[in-house]
């Protein structure tokens, strides 16, 4: 497997932990199951370990890398007809910046830095119509939050907001030793598949997001107290919710019903 050679230092501000374990790389590629003709976008290719593994199955790959030194190494290690590399911050790039929308949508992959994983996922979900699926290597706690059930300790804003637009499935855990330098926590691979029809109508989404954000900003408070100033007791009851319940016990349909109550003009 080809990997780039680089003397670039590890930059803590980019949250760099480079995946190097061959077994983990093989499991990730098997989970993605890239097929010839798939439009695959890798975010943060780093030193190119996953890039090389993917290019064993693909003729062409698009990637976005923020570190200019690493980008130089990638360009030296992979010919441009195999790797179309964009240098920049994925948090501030639109998928439309990469060219025409692929017919079946982008398949997005990456070993995401822990410090940007959540905002980057929401940035991509804002463009969900252009995405076929996403496979990310993330901090295990983040994946547990993404896939948590109502009533569990990890269930919260991330769970609900993600479920409005996509299905998340935890695939397998990756130990710290699979990275250099090894992080202090375990990681997990997650598959995110956009829903054919979102659970929350686009016109309702801003109200829904406001309800969810305020409810979980004080998750120990009851809905009555946590949503004070936004929803009255009558609104909660009309949406089928117990005002004395806590937000971690409310599933997405409950939050959607309350948002609809607060925004009744939504079809």
């Amino acid at each position: 497997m080809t990997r780039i050679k680089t003397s670039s230092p590890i930059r803590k501000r980019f949250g760099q932990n480079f995946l190097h374990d061959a077994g983990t790389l093989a499991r990730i590629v098997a989970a993605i199951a890239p097929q010839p003709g798939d439009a695959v976008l890798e975010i943060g290719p780093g030193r190119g370990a996953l890039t090389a593994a993917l290019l064993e199955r693909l003729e062409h790959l698009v990637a976005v890398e923020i570190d200019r030194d690493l980008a130089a190494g990638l360009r030296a290690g992979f010919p441009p007809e195999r790797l179309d590399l964009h240098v920049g911050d994925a948090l501030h790039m639109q998928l439309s910046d990469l060219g025409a929308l692929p017919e079946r949508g982008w398949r997005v992959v990456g070993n995401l830095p822990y410090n940007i994983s959540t905002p980057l996922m929401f940035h991509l979900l804002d463009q969900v119509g252009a995405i076929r699926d996403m496979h990310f290597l993330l901090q295990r706690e983040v994946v547990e939050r993404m896939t948590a059930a109502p009533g569990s300790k990890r269930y919260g804003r991330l769970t609900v907001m993600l479920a409005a637009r996509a299905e998340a499935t935890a695939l397998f855990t990756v130990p710290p030793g699979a990275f250099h330098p090894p992080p202090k926590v375990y990681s997990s691979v997650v598959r995110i598949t956009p829903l054919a029809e979102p659970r929350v109508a686009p016109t309702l989404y801003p109200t829904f997001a406001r309800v969810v954000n305020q409810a979980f900003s004080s998750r120990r408070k009851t809905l009555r107290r946590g949503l004070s100033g936004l929803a009255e007791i009558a609104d909660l009851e009309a949406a089928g919710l117990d005002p004395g319940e806590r937000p971690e016990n409310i599933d997405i349909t409950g939050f959607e019903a309350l948002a609809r109550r607060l925004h009744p003009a939504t079809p």
Side-chain angles (χ1 to χ4, degrees):
M1 182 184 297
T2 301
R3 301 189 192 179
I4 67 169
K5 295 180 180 180
T6 178
S7 58
S8 174
I10 293 171
R11 292 182 168 86
K12 291 184 178 180
R13 67 190 177 97
F14 291 150
Q16 293 172 337
N17 297 93
F18 299 109
L19 181 65
H20 65 80
D21 180 71
T24 300
L25 289 163
R27 290 187 73 184
I28 292 173
V29 173
I32 298 168
Q35 302 298 312
D38 281 353
V40 178
L41 167 63
E42 183 182 5
I43 295 177
R47 294 177 174 172
L50 181 57
T51 311
L54 288 166
L55 285 173
E56 291 181 358
R57 304 274 289 272
L58 296 166
E59 289 297 319
H60 180 76
L61 179 67
V62 179
V64 176
E65 175 57 58
I66 192 173
D67 188 318
R68 293 183 179 276
D69 290 334
L70 289 173
L74 289 161
R75 284 187 170 133
F78 299 98
E81 64 270 18
R82 302 292 310 281
L83 179 65
D84 179 9
L85 182 64
H86 297 252
V87 181
D89 186 348
L91 271 172
H92 298 105
M93 293 182 71
Q94 298 295 316
L95 294 176
S96 58
D97 296 337
L98 305 176
L101 173 65
E103 182 178 352
R104 299 185 63 196
W106 287 103
R107 306 196 68 194
V108 187
V109 305
N111 169 26
L112 299 187
Y114 300 153
N115 57 341
I116 69 160
S117 59
T118 298
L120 180 57
M121 279 188 291
F122 282 118
H123 177 63
L124 290 169
L125 286 171
D126 285 340
Q127 308 168 74
V128 73
I131 295 172
R132 177 175 156 195
D133 59 23
M134 297 182 276
H135 291 80
F136 292 134
L137 182 54
L138 303 169
Q139 185 175 347
R140 182 169 63 179
E141 179 182 333
V142 174
V143 175
E144 289 173 348
R145 288 166 52 204
M146 292 168 64
T147 58
S152 64
K153 183 173 69 171
R154 299 292 191 200
Y155 183 81
R157 172 184 175 270
L158 176 59
T159 325
V160 178
M161 296 303 295
L162 180 59
R165 296 176 173 178
E167 295 280 0
T169 305
L171 300 181
F172 57 89
T173 299
V174 179
F179 301 86
H180 175 74
K184 296 180 180 180
V185 297
Y186 276 74
S187 303
S188 291
V189 175
V190 64
R191 175 183 294 125
I192 304 170
T193 307
L195 298 168
E197 292 291 336
R199 292 190 175 96
V200 178
T203 52
L204 184 61
Y205 193 81
T207 303
F208 173 80
R210 186 180 176 195
V211 167
V212 174
N213 290 343
Q214 183 165 326
F216 283 104
S217 64
S218 303
R219 61 182 295 136
R220 295 182 63 84
K221 292 184 179 180
T222 63
L223 295 176
R224 178 194 297 109
R225 295 181 61 203
L227 291 172
S228 176
L230 179 60
E232 303 294 335
I233 291 178
D235 296 318
L236 296 168
E237 292 177 340
L241 300 175
D242 177 356
E245 191 60 89
R246 290 183 175 175
E248 64 262 30
N249 296 318
I250 307 301
D251 66 14
I252 187 172
T253 59
F255 288 111
E256 194 272 348
L258 179 57
R260 188 175 294 276
R261 165 74 179 181
L262 298 175
H263 193 158
T266 302

